[in-house]
């Protein structure tokens, strides 16, 4: 029988379940964010808006893809759960060292590895803390019965049931009758 990790899953199934989503979704989000940073970059006038936005989007996506891939590799190697922040620190250190070495030599590898380890771990920690709140928020926004957005109670737009709809029609008919009597009196 296969050994289980601290979340009660077998290591092979826990790695293969959603690793594509844990790598591709953050990479796509980072690419979009990078494109947004490129839109407000001071270099957009010199290099052109489309060129600099594409460059930023590509760089953000590459860095995020490398970091998330390394995090999944470390998680599978260490056979730990999704909430282990040591995986984030190790993968940030390794990713920063590799990308820093490509960018700035040995000194760049040291700097980038520390920066990536701290920033990656901080982002993963924030994501772990925000995940339950975001899940609760999304559950409060979507109505599972009809599969659409649920309007808040304070919203002026309300979905009425049959009883409330009948009461509304009665009020409208009463109002129309009053308007007709007022218009007859004026003429």
């Amino acid at each position: 029988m296969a050994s289980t990790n601290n979340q009660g899953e077998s290591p092979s199934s826990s790695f293969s379940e959603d690793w594509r989503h844990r790598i591709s979704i953050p990479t796509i989000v980072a690419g979009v964010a990078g494109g947004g940073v490129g839109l407000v970059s001071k270099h957009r006038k010199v290099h052109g808006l489309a060129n600099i936005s594409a460059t930023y989007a590509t760089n953000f996506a590459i860095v995020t893809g490398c970091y998330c891939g390394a995090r999944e590799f470390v998680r599978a190697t260490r056979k730990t759960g999704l909430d282990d922040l040591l995986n984030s620190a190790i993968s940030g250190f390794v990713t920063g060292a590799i990308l820093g070495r490509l960018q700035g030599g040995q000194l760049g590898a040291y700097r980038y590895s520390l920066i990536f380890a701290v920033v990656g771990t901080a982002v993963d920690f924030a994501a772990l803390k925000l995940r339950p709140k975001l899940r609760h928020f999304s559950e409060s926004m979507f109505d599972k019965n009809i599969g659409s957005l649920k309007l808040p109670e304070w919203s002026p737009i309300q979905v009425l049931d049959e009883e409330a709809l009948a009461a509304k029609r009665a009020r409208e008919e009463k109002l129309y009758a009053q308007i007709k009597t007022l218009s007859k009196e004026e003429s």
Side-chain angles (χ1 to χ4, degrees):
M1 183 171 154
S3 65
T4 58
N5 61 13
N6 59 358
Q7 293 180 342
E9 305 167 332
S10 67
S12 61
S13 69
S14 66
F15 177 71
S16 63
E17 284 175 4
D18 288 332
W19 68 269
R20 289 179 194 94
H21 293 131
R22 289 190 300 268
I23 295 172
S24 62
I25 291 174
T27 303
I28 292 168
V29 169
V32 171
V37 169
L39 290 175
V40 296
S41 171
K42 66 180 180 180
H43 304 293
R44 69 182 184 272
K45 293 178 183 170
V46 176
H47 297 289
L49 182 64
N51 190 20
I52 201 70
S53 292
T55 301
Y56 273 93
T58 304
N59 286 338
F60 275 43
I62 288 170
V63 167
T64 305
C66 289
Y67 171 76
C68 291
R71 186 182 60 206
E72 288 301 311
F73 177 76
V74 169
R75 188 175 73 80
T77 304
R78 293 185 62 231
K79 294 180 177 56
T80 58
L82 294 173
D83 57 349
D84 190 2
L85 292 176
L86 188 58
N87 295 342
S88 301
I90 293 170
S91 61
F93 189 81
V94 170
T95 303
I98 292 170
L99 294 176
R101 179 76 173 154
L102 293 174
Q103 282 293 107
Q106 191 170 5
L107 181 62
Y110 292 131
R111 282 189 296 185
Y112 279 60
S113 63
L114 290 175
I115 291 169
F116 277 45
V118 169
V119 171
T121 306
V123 168
D124 284 345
F125 178 76
L128 284 172
K129 293 298 179 183
L130 289 176
R131 187 172 292 134
K133 290 175 179 43
L134 290 174
R135 186 172 292 126
H136 174 70
F137 178 72
S138 68
E139 287 172 357
S140 69
M141 291 295 295
F142 292 101
D143 190 3
K144 292 181 181 179
N145 297 334
I146 57 176
S148 66
L149 286 174
K150 182 170 52 171
L151 297 171
E153 293 177 11
W154 51 264
S155 174
I157 302 170
Q158 292 294 321
V159 178
L160 303 175
D161 58 355
E162 290 181 26
E163 191 175 303
L165 191 58
K168 179 184 174 219
R169 285 187 187 136
R171 283 193 311 268
E172 288 174 349
E173 289 174 6
K174 184 178 177 182
L175 182 64
Y176 291 143
Q178 289 175 352
I179 292 173
K180 283 183 184 180
T181 57
L182 285 176
S183 63
K184 286 181 184 178
E185 291 175 3
E186 289 179 0
S187 48

